[in-house]
Amino acid sequence: MNTIKENMIAEAKKRYNKIFPCSMHANFDECFTVVGNKVVFWFNTEDLSTHVITTELAG
């Protein structure tokens, strides 16, 4: 799962350059959740907009 998270963070940085944990979260680890067979990563950008990236779990 850590590799998936690392890849999702890298993808977000590639798309948006600077990203930050959402609202009161201290780090990116707190910005992931699993819904069904998908991993959801939410984060903020410099303009304080919230974005979401999802990926499917293998299996």
Side-chain angles (χ1 to χ4, degrees):
M1 182 67 117
N2 284 337
T3 302
I4 293 170
K5 290 180 179 180
E6 290 169 6
N7 289 343
M8 293 177 81
I9 291 169
E11 178 63 28
K13 287 179 178 179
K14 181 179 173 184
R15 289 186 194 180
Y16 299 100
N17 295 322
K18 291 186 180 181
I19 63 170
F20 308 92
C22 284
S23 67
M24 294 181 273
H25 296 295
N27 58 58
F28 288 127
D29 274 343
E30 299 174 353
C31 297
F32 288 89
T33 192
V34 176
V35 179
N37 69 336
K38 293 187 181 200
V39 179
V40 181
F41 171 49
W42 66 95
F43 57 91
N44 285 344
T45 51
E46 282 187 298
D47 63 356
L48 302 179
S49 295
T50 301
H51 301 269
V52 174
I53 292 178
T54 64
T55 192
E56 288 192 32
L57 292 170

